[in-house]
Structures are given as C-alpha cells and as structure tokens.
Amino acid sequence: MTSALTDSPAPDAVLARLTQVIESRLPARGGDPQTSYVARLLAKGPDAFLKKIGEEAAEVLLAAKDAEHGRGAREKLVAEMADLWFHGMVALAYYGCRAADVTAELARREGLSGLEEKARRA
C-alpha cells in the first residue's frame, strides 16, 4: 500500500518493519555491537542514544531554519527528521515501547483541540 500524497510505502508499514529491525538488535535478542550500529547504541545505554536524539533534534532545527530562509532544501529537513525519528525509535525499543504506541497516542489525540489537550495535561 502506498500513501496517496507521496506515492511511497504506507508510513505504518515502514514504521512496523523498522521497529522489528531495531528490536532484533536489542542485546537480549543477540544484537551484536560489532556488526550493528543500533546494537552498539543500545549496548552503550541511554546516554548514547539520548545524545544522538539531542544532536538530531538540533540538526532538524537548523535544517528548518535554513529552509525558512531559502537556504536549505526540503529534502534536507526530511532527511534530518528521518534521523530524529530513527533514533527516537531506538529509545522506544530500549524502553519496551514501539512506534505503534506513538501512532496510537496520535490517533487518540486526533480531532482534539491542541489547546484542550495541553490544558488537560497541565
């Protein structure tokens, strides 16, 4: 199945496959830090992948600012966001969560006023 807007694979399917790959790299499942970047991040623990999330978030900000001022391509922003999502998915796997948990939360919020949702959390 493809997305009508981008003519690319359905996002849920991509996230599900990537979740499976990341989970297969968990140390408890035999992920080998010598052969896998994900296994190496997971073996180093939260400091390693949380640092990467911070770095990638900063790169998203820079790419967005460049795009805003006509200095960057849309593709650069998308690529940096992909890196951020990927490292976020590594964190989710480490803590026993999945991308499907995040999409379920987004679905739960769908149709709610952002202002209402924020007020409920306060």
Side-chain angles (χ1 to χ4, degrees):
M1 177 178 194
T2 61
S3 168
L5 295 176
T6 61
D7 198 34
S8 62
D12 285 348
V14 172
L15 293 174
R17 287 192 305 272
L18 186 53
T19 294
Q20 289 176 338
V21 170
I22 291 170
E23 288 176 346
S24 76
R25 305 302 198 265
L26 287 163
R29 295 198 182 166
D32 182 0
Q34 298 300 317
T35 60
S36 167
Y37 170 73
V38 172
R40 188 174 310 143
L41 276 178
L42 291 166
K44 289 180 179 179
D47 286 349
F49 58 77
L50 295 175
K51 179 180 177 186
K52 284 302 295 180
I53 289 171
E55 290 171 5
E56 299 302 342
E59 290 174 9
V60 167
L61 293 172
L62 293 172
K65 293 305 279 183
D66 284 348
E68 179 180 351
H69 297 291
R71 294 188 304 262
R74 171 184 175 274
E75 292 80 13
K76 177 70 172 169
L77 177 58
V78 169
E80 295 300 347
M81 188 63 73
D83 291 343
L84 178 58
W85 285 17
F86 174 81
H87 288 90
M89 290 177 69
V90 170
L92 288 171
Y94 183 87
Y95 293 110
C97 302
R98 303 178 125 203
D101 299 323
V102 177
T103 57
E105 176 62 13
L106 290 171
R108 183 191 69 76
R109 296 180 187 184
E110 192 173 6
L112 295 176
S113 159
L115 296 175
E116 276 182 44
E117 175 64 20
K118 187 173 182 178
R120 286 182 188 173
R121 288 185 269 152

